Amino acid sequence: MPEAPHVVVVGGGVSGLTAAHRLVGRGFTTTVVETADVPGGKLRASPVAGVDVDAGAEAVLARRPEAVDLFRELGLDDRVVHPGPGGAAVYSRGRLRSLPKGQLMGVPGDLRALARSGVLSWAGTLRAGLDVVSPRTRVDGDVSVAAYVGSRMGQEVVDRLVEPLLGGVYAGRADRLSLDSTLPQIASMARRDRSLLLAVRAALGGGGAAPTKPGPVFASLRGGVAGLVGELAERHSSSLRLGRRVRGLQRLPEGWRVHLDDDERISCDAVLLACPASEASRLLAEHAPEASRELGGVEYADMALVTMALPASAFPGPLVGSGFLVPAGEGLTIKAATFSSNKWPWLAEELARANPGDELVVLRCSIGRFGEDRILERSDEELTRVALRDLGTVTGVSGTPVQTRVTRWNGGLPQYDVGHAGLVERVRSDVARVPGLGVCGAVYGGVGIPACIADADQEVARLVDTLRTNISTSGGDDAGTNQQGVNP
Ligand SMILES: Cc1cc2nc3c(=O)[nH]c(=O)nc-3n(C[C@H](O)[C@H](O)[C@H](O)COP(=O)(O)OP(=O)(O)OC[C@H]3O[C@@H](n4cnc5c(N)ncnc54)[C@H](O)[C@@H]3O)c2cc1C
């Protein structure tokens, strides 16, 4: 029987691990090379006050099928959890205010609710309402989120609603982020409808249109969403090479040779790059120069998360809701805070179990907007101090945390700048010209976990098709995760 084709996956984040899982499911063998000593990339959890708490991503969008389907496929259904009641607030104009009802990623669809929320000044609210009577804004190619939403509804909507909400996903600036790539639903409204506000209202079920899908918007796993990569890594542990960096790729007459940093070489039929843009750019330089050049220009936002366990008694009253967003210009350094033990009831239960007699709450503060790198030069102690000070301003908390954890994510999130979709198309078509080469990950089809899973699925399907055309496969289901093709 011919040997099953072997694919080296570069990067053991959720994209690379999903890709490996799919490849094995299709009868291929894999080696996943990961620079870090632990698998998972931006998905990682560690104990805070005795309970595992996510240190990176913490939830998946449940309105997309990919992540929840993968939970089910991996038998994780019994660990699936959803956020508790109570949404997020915005710290705007000096105090916490509820997000206005009837908005889509911060773009208001209900003027009265917007006025009631008090998030904008009266002038800002009136300016937002001008959208309803203003002539159409022509949008031909891709534009920035700020350019389009600002021209329809004014800068306050951009600064106090849209940018903080988008910041939670991209950590980016609305004057650079691509409308087409980051707000595709708004982008199609921009090309179809005159009034943005009325289009948002209709999309949300006002004006007789179909209501949005029912059911929880987000999901996670008891013990942290990092449990997803934990399960994938466990299933494919024999193919994982941790603490090893891929240094270079060499194309052979048939297949590839992958060079690791300790001079080990792995021969394989194909290589799938599931690593961030700068590394993909470096590895592609010789083989797909246009893709390499394009990826070399993608910028990333750095950020830090300060997670704290505090006694509930340190707060003047019970914390309400799941946390708050902070627009730039409010005089605070943190850009958001998640009241993790409010948002995730399982976490509150586990905290109570692990700390009998102590009523604790866990919060995560996020620091670092795109371009604010100086803030992240501060030490962990300084970041913790700043986060506590800002939390004090907003919630009135005063006291000392029982435990703190500072997690730095340098190169945390790729920036989907104006024209990003075109860039990705050029990268994909340059890579597709090279037999046995593929790319997937957060830089291509979306930064969220479901988008990364979808991207890995799609690229694996494409690679498998091209490989099956060239190589006759055994297709056996016992191909497993052995290390065929490894030449130490
Ligand atoms: C703080 C934070 C919070 C987030 N929150 C959420 C959330 O709640 N929900 C959500 O859906 N998304 C969230 N995201 C986004 C999401 O987590 C990421 O976009 C996604 O996990 C990226 O996965 P990936 O596998 O594409 O990349 P990564 O996770 O970056 O994995 C790539 C891996 O490649 C490895 N690597 C790089 N170069 C090499 C090399 N030469 N050789 C070998 N290995 C290499 C890296 O070490 C890394 O582990 C968040 C992101 C951050 C930073």
Side-chain angles (χ1 to χ4, degrees), residues 11 13-15 33-35 41-43 57-59 246 279 441-442 447-449:
V14 69
S15 304
V33 186
E34 167 55 53
T35 311
K42 310 296 186 311
L43 274 67
E58 58 150 11
V246 170
E279 279 294 275
V447 300
I449 295 166

Side-chain angles (χ1 to χ4, degrees), residues 10-16 33-36 40-43 56-60 244-246 274-276 279 282-283 303 305 364 409 412-413 441-442 447-450 452:
V10 183
V14 69
S15 304
V33 186
E34 167 55 53
T35 311
K42 310 296 186 311
L43 274 67
E58 58 150 11
V60 301
R244 314 289 285 278
R245 177 167 180 252
V246 170
C275 49
E279 279 294 275
R282 188 180 63 75
L283 294 169
M303 67 194 72
L305 289 179
R364 286 197 339 172
W409 293 105
L413 286 161
V447 300
I449 295 166
C452 291

Side-chain angles (χ1 to χ4, degrees), residues 244-447:
R244 314 289 285 278
R245 177 167 180 252
V246 170
R247 193 163 48 84
L249 307 178
Q250 183 186 358
R251 196 164 161 200
L252 305 175
E254 279 191 20
W256 293 83
R257 184 169 295 142
V258 176
H259 295 251
L260 306 194
D261 50 5
D262 59 355
D263 284 340
E264 181 184 337
R265 292 153 196 204
I266 306 175
S267 299
C268 56
D269 299 291
V271 179
L272 179 53
L273 302 180
C275 49
S278 57
E279 279 294 275
S281 166
R282 188 180 63 75
L283 294 169
L284 289 172
E286 211 181 297
H287 313 288
E290 189 184 349
S292 165
R293 194 173 45 74
E294 295 278 7
L295 287 168
V298 176
E299 295 193 80
Y300 277 68
D302 299 337
M303 67 194 72
L305 289 179
V306 182
T307 308
M308 300 180 230
L310 282 143
S313 58
F315 295 86
L319 286 173
V320 178
S322 62
F324 60 88
L325 304 163
V326 184
E330 283 296 331
L332 303 188
T333 302
I334 60 171
K335 59 179 186 175
T338 306
F339 303 157
S340 305
S341 46
N342 264 20
K343 181 171 179 179
W344 304 109
W346 71 266
L347 180 54
E349 285 164 30
E350 298 286 330
L351 273 175
R353 228 191 312 272
N355 302 276
D358 295 328
E359 206 191 329
L360 298 181
V361 293
V362 167
L363 299 93
R364 286 197 339 172
C365 295
S366 163
I367 299 179
R369 293 184 178 84
F370 181 72
E372 284 185 345
D373 305 346
R374 295 293 300 275
I375 291 168
L376 298 175
E377 288 169 10
R378 300 180 196 181
S379 66
D380 288 2
E381 292 71 27
E382 282 174 287
L383 289 183
T384 305
R385 220 173 6 254
V386 163
L388 255 181
R389 184 198 65 201
D390 286 358
L391 273 180
T393 305
V394 178
T395 66
V397 67
S398 68
T400 314
V402 179
Q403 196 184 340
T404 58
R405 174 187 71 189
V406 177
T407 318
R408 291 174 186 267
W409 293 105
N410 294 331
L413 286 161
Q415 296 301 290
Y416 279 37
D417 286 347
V418 174
H420 189 78
L423 177 149
V424 170
E425 221 176 281
R426 292 189 293 279
V427 170
R428 289 204 197 277
S429 68
D430 199 31
V431 168
R433 282 188 310 97
V434 187
L437 189 60
V439 288
C440 69
V443 73
Y444 306 99
V447 300

